[in-house]
Amino acid sequence: MMAAVHDDTLITAFTEQAETFAASAVAYAAQTLDELVAMAAPQPSERWLDAACGPGIVTRRLAPLVREAHGVDLTPAMVDAARRETARAGLANVTFAVGDATATGAAAASFDGAVTRFSIHHLPLPIRLVEELARVVRSGGAIVLADHVADEDPRAAAWSQEIERLRDPSHWACLSPPGLRELGRRAGLTLEDERLAAIELDFDDWLRRGTTDPTAHALVERALTERPGGAECFAVEPRDGRRVLRLRLWTARWQR
């Protein structure tokens, strides 16, 4: 029941964010897109899955490099945006479906590789997603996971996650790098490569894309004044008349 309620929250939140996320700078930044695809190393003969694909940004980036790219997302508005932009780009080897990334309905071992970006922190029991990717990717195929992370320090992690949930009710929890590695291990995957990199976002744009509720904004502002020591993976700082949000992005390639 809780998972179903959260699915409804996800659909509501991402229906509102379908256009704004597609237009955000972080969605297309080299660190979050080009480096992700480079780590995936897709081949021209392969079929790839983009799980929780949103507006299809990663799917379209994969398309010229593979035989076929397929995206699945729970939010119909996101899939509509993905199809529209794919048609505009004239890509003929891309398909999309509305569906649950943790239970895609795809046949076992039907993909050569799979990728998911910025999705793990939205999912209760995210092992479900990694296990599903392990199921649909053939033996020897690649699975690439990318998400921003929480601190290993419990107080710092609790502080940043409270801000994340105030900003976006579809947020469940960021994991630390050890927690993310554990997901892959439990799904029977072999870690081949991982990277941890700093990424920067315009804080006020990030906040508005999550919610326009002034009460939530006020609570976020109060929380920012209570930053605990040891918080390294979430920081807001002034720069050139604006505020910059610094996060840490973890990207890893696993072998099925």
Side-chain angles (χ1 to χ4, degrees):
M1 180 65 72
M2 178 61 73
V5 169
H6 191 65
D7 282 352
D8 290 342
T9 301
L10 279 169
I11 292 170
T12 298
F14 282 107
T15 296
E16 295 175 357
Q17 295 179 37
E19 302 301 329
T20 57
F21 179 78
S24 65
V26 69
Y28 295 92
Q31 279 184 309
T32 65
L33 184 57
D34 293 346
E35 291 184 12
L36 172 75
V37 173
M39 183 179 284
Q43 299 302 306
S45 63
E46 293 180 339
R47 183 173 187 245
W48 274 70
L49 172 67
D50 182 9
C53 67
I57 295 168
V58 174
T59 328
R60 291 194 299 278
R61 181 66 178 79
L62 286 168
L65 307 174
V66 299
R67 174 173 56 87
E68 180 184 346
H70 178 66
V72 60
D73 198 273
L74 191 64
T75 304
M78 284 289 191
V79 173
D80 288 345
R83 287 173 173 157
R84 182 185 68 239
E85 293 305 314
T86 298
R88 185 176 296 169
L91 297 169
N93 65 333
V94 181
T95 56
F96 294 98
V98 176
D100 185 348
T102 70
T104 63
S110 57
F111 292 93
D112 298 289
V115 61
T116 188
R117 179 180 75 151
F118 297 147
S119 65
I120 294 172
H121 65 271
H122 289 291
L123 298 176
L125 205 65
I127 184 61
R128 297 177 299 143
L129 172 62
V130 184
E131 288 175 341
E132 176 67 356
L133 300 186
R135 184 187 72 82
V136 302
V137 170
R138 64 169 173 81
S139 178
I143 294 172
V144 180
L145 310 177
D147 204 9
H148 54 94
V149 297
D151 288 285
E152 294 182 52
D153 178 87
R155 287 187 65 245
W159 170 78
S160 67
Q161 296 315 287
E162 187 167 39
I163 292 175
E164 292 270 17
R165 285 188 291 270
L166 284 168
R167 178 256 178 185
D168 180 357
S170 72
H171 184 96
W172 191 264
C174 288
L175 299 179
S176 65
L180 289 162
R181 291 188 205 106
E182 179 66 8
L183 292 181
R185 187 198 65 77
R186 289 172 59 194
L189 304 176
T190 300
L191 182 62
E192 294 187 320
D193 191 12
E194 67 175 327
R195 299 171 195 172
L196 189 62
I199 58 173
E200 295 186 347
L201 295 77
D202 182 286
F203 174 80
D204 293 296
D205 174 68
W206 172 83
L207 184 59
R208 287 190 300 269
R209 283 191 287 108
T211 179
T212 57
D213 180 2
T215 301
H217 287 193
L219 289 171
V220 168
E221 296 294 345
R222 174 175 174 177
L224 290 175
T225 68
E226 301 174 357
R227 183 173 187 263
E232 298 179 347
C233 293
F234 187 103
V236 179
E237 61 184 35
R239 187 184 303 167
D240 300 326
R242 63 190 182 101
R243 291 188 290 179
V244 172
L245 170 62
R246 291 190 291 106
L247 303 175
R248 290 189 178 177
L249 176 70
W250 179 86
T251 307
R253 177 187 165 103
W254 304 78
Q255 185 181 68
R256 168 69 176 88

